[in-house]
Amino acid sequence: MSIPTEPIGSIPRPRALQQALGEHAEGRLNDKELTELQEQAAADTLARLEQLGCPVLVDGEQAKPSFATYPIAGLATLAPDGVTIPFADGHTRQLPHLTEGPFRYQVRAESYLRDAQRHTDLPLKQAVIAPSALSLLYPAESIAGYSREAFLRDLADEAEADIRGCLEAGAHVVQLDFTEGRLSLKLDPSGAILDDFIALNNEVLGRFSEAERARLGVHTCPGGDHDSTHSLDVDYAGLLPELFRLKVGNYYVQLASEADPERVLRIIADQLRPGIRVFVGVTDPIGTTVETPEEVRDRVLLAARHIPVDQLGTCDDCGFSPFADDTSTSRDLAFAKIDARVRGTALAAEALGA
């Protein structure tokens, strides 16, 4: 396809896997049985994406507890009462906080990638959590014998290893999930937190070569959990110039659910530089209706008025189920939206003569 199109990451888990996750949490299903069901769900996800003609696949994060917390699954040095993230509908998500150091990842994203590679020969994308998100694990009060500075050094090393492992395993692209970027401007309109996030992420990204950074990307969205967002009311104008400071070759920008997408496209156009590609969101994962291929085509054509076609790609606005317990979007609805994205992008490419 002359205009590349990629998924973001998560796909709703099958009903059997959702039930199994509950049974596992209650101690009625062992680790081995749960892993087998997760592997089956990942294989089914890859097969269905391939059937839809997706040029780049993902495993749908079927084995991740969430897009943000997979590296700390099983970490014993955590307390539950960390940073709370409020969503527009009133529900919240709460991160844990670290109680002692040193900080080490318990799970690396490379493991999900290698499992997926057993089921397909097509290009595979691997999402990883941005180090800026995990920086929120350090509590406001210092940890005795383990300073915040020491934690951030350890975190940067761990994040680099997480990304590098995926690149070396053959990922088509490694995408940093950076939903906390837009949220930070809601928590701190001065932009100081966002500046710290950008600096930390660039500390890690700067360790990669130019050729490696061409295979790295960053995804921004206002959240998408239980059909609700945490920062859609934050003006993109404050985020996007900072986002494009990140040292990556690919930018995945939520757009379909924006009230004024053309205004956002003008902001993006002002940030373009040679050698990067911008993937614009053309389907809304928390929307309840399926976009038609023609609607997607028209969104791509609008984007092409502001972004050169050779720097343009398409994606979904966000993952469809970034937390494993989110059942607000059905699996079939997610695949229908992905089908519309793939077909609509092809229609746009044809119309543009790309």
Side-chain angles (χ1 to χ4, degrees):
M1 183 176 293
S2 53
I3 297 178
T5 187
E6 297 179 8
I8 290 300
S10 63
I11 304 292
R13 285 74 172 168
R15 185 174 300 176
L17 178 54
Q18 287 287 353
Q19 182 178 346
L21 288 167
E23 293 174 355
H24 182 264
E26 296 169 357
R28 295 188 289 116
L29 191 75
N30 64 40
D31 291 347
K32 182 176 182 295
E33 292 169 321
L34 177 62
T35 297
E36 288 175 353
L37 287 170
Q38 289 170 330
E39 290 177 351
Q40 292 170 14
D44 179 70
T45 300
L46 293 162
R48 292 184 68 171
L49 291 174
E50 188 168 349
Q51 289 167 5
L52 294 178
C54 295
V56 176
L57 309 185
V58 293
D59 70 354
E61 302 186 353
Q62 303 297 290
K64 282 185 179 179
S66 81
F67 77 104
T69 60
Y70 71 88
I72 57 174
L75 183 62
T77 55
L78 295 173
D81 52 343
V83 172
T84 298
I85 301 171
F87 285 78
D89 66 354
H91 88 274
T92 62
R93 291 285 184 178
Q94 188 167 28
L95 296 174
H97 76 260
L98 195 66
T99 59
E100 62 181 80
F103 176 69
R104 297 289 184 269
Y105 280 25
Q106 305 301 291
V107 178
R108 297 201 187 281
E110 173 192 348
S111 64
Y112 304 118
L113 176 63
R114 291 193 182 278
D115 285 343
Q117 287 171 332
R118 296 188 292 108
H119 301 289
T120 184
D121 294 324
L122 290 179
L124 280 163
K125 177 180 186 175
Q126 183 58 56
V128 301
I129 189 61
S132 52
L134 294 180
S135 71
L136 298 172
L137 295 174
Y138 196 88
E141 305 80 15
S142 294
I143 298 174
Y146 192 53
S147 68
R148 180 173 179 82
E149 291 72 23
F151 163 73
L152 290 177
R153 287 194 297 271
D154 286 343
L155 171 57
D157 290 344
E158 291 295 297
E160 177 192 358
D162 198 34
I163 297 167
R164 196 171 296 281
C166 295
L167 289 176
E168 293 176 352
H172 170 72
V173 67
V174 180
Q175 170 193 287
L176 276 70
D177 287 329
F178 186 49
T179 185
E180 70 278 6
R182 197 166 180 178
L183 177 63
S184 72
L185 290 172
K186 189 169 189 173
L187 303 176
D188 174 23
S190 76
I193 293 176
L194 178 58
D195 285 344
D196 288 344
F197 283 172
I198 297 292
L200 175 58
N201 291 338
N202 271 342
E203 156 63 23
V204 175
L205 294 167
R207 301 179 183 188
F208 294 88
S209 69
E210 184 175 350
E212 289 169 330
R213 289 199 294 270
R215 293 169 56 204
L216 301 182
V218 62
H219 168 238
T220 181
C221 75
D225 181 44
H226 291 301
D227 284 350
S228 187
T229 62
H230 53 53
S231 54
L232 188 61
D233 54 339
V234 174
D235 192 339
Y236 249 152
L239 172 66
L240 291 176
E242 299 302 306
L243 181 80
F244 280 87
R245 290 171 48 205
L246 289 171
K247 301 173 182 178
V248 296
N250 304 282
Y251 296 84
Y252 302 86
V253 181
Q254 164 265 345
L255 187 64
S257 55
E258 283 296 308
D260 188 354
E262 189 153 23
R263 175 176 176 268
V264 177
L265 287 165
R266 288 195 292 267
I267 297 171
I268 292 172
D270 289 340
Q271 307 304 318
L272 285 178
R273 62 181 186 272
I276 67 171
R277 188 179 297 275
V278 180
F279 291 76
V280 297
V282 292
T283 56
D284 179 7
I286 65 176
T288 56
T289 59
V290 178
E291 294 83 355
T292 67
E294 291 74 22
E295 286 174 321
V296 170
R297 175 201 62 199
D298 292 345
R299 290 171 179 175
V300 181
L301 294 178
L302 175 63
R305 290 165 51 186
H306 300 272
I307 302 171
V309 174
D310 63 353
Q311 291 186 273
L312 179 62
T314 67
C315 60
D316 308 302
D317 268 3
C318 188
F320 288 90
S321 182
F323 295 87
D325 62 357
D326 182 3
T327 58
S328 57
T329 301
S330 75
R331 192 165 168 86
D332 287 342
L333 178 61
F335 283 118
K337 285 175 171 282
I338 291 168
D339 183 43
R341 169 172 54 78
V342 173
R343 294 168 59 195
T345 302
L347 289 175
E350 181 180 359
L352 291 165

